[in-house]
Amino acid sequence: PVYQLSIRRDGTVSFVGTQHVTHQGAATASIAPAMVDSLVAELEAGGYFGFDERYLRGAPGCGQYATDSPTVITSLTVDGRTRQIRHDHGCSAAPPELMRLERRIDEVAGTARWTGD
């Protein structure tokens, strides 16, 4: 699936599906602000701000590389700190916790309703 997802502190979830998703185009939903706060706390506790910014072929943190894997780009802004991470799932040395947190973002946002996963 190819899509863009945004979760705002007030619980607004914005989705734009591009390819290989059940819903193409824009959609919105709401989740409880407490769920957003919990997700942010989970990301911080999971070390999100300490991960490398790039797990891409040729990057120091990539390790052995396998082609044809999805790439996930996440970004988190909290209290004036921002971290964006580009993660090619073909990078074998990327932290497993990063992949878990990526899945968690989708779970909390409920993206399956639009992606069909």
Side-chain angles (χ1 to χ4, degrees):
V2 179
Y3 60 92
Q4 183 176 7
L5 177 70
S6 174
I7 305 172
R8 300 182 64 85
R9 198 107 209 199
D10 68 359
T12 302
V13 178
S14 300
F15 174 90
V16 179
T18 307
Q19 295 177 353
H20 310 291
V21 292
T22 304
H23 180 89
Q24 291 194 355
T28 59
S30 294
I31 59 175
M35 291 176 68
V36 178
D37 291 341
S38 177
L39 176 61
V40 168
E42 191 173 345
L43 288 164
E44 289 186 298
Y48 188 84
F49 283 102
F51 294 138
D52 291 348
E53 292 181 345
R54 296 177 349 125
Y55 294 97
L56 302 171
R57 184 178 186 170
C62 181
Q64 189 171 359
Y65 182 76
T67 60
D68 296 328
S69 295
T71 297
V72 177
I73 302 169
T74 56
S75 179
L76 175 63
T77 300
V78 177
D79 299 328
R81 297 180 301 157
T82 298
R83 168 74 85 195
Q84 182 183 72
I85 301 173
R86 299 175 64 86
H87 176 202
D88 184 323
H89 283 215
C91 290
S92 64
E97 181 67 2
L98 176 58
M99 194 176 305
R100 187 191 73 75
L101 292 171
E102 291 165 350
R103 285 191 307 268
R104 189 72 181 120
I105 292 167
D106 279 327
E107 289 169 2
V108 171
T111 56
R113 69 183 123 203
W114 299 307
T115 62
D117 290 340

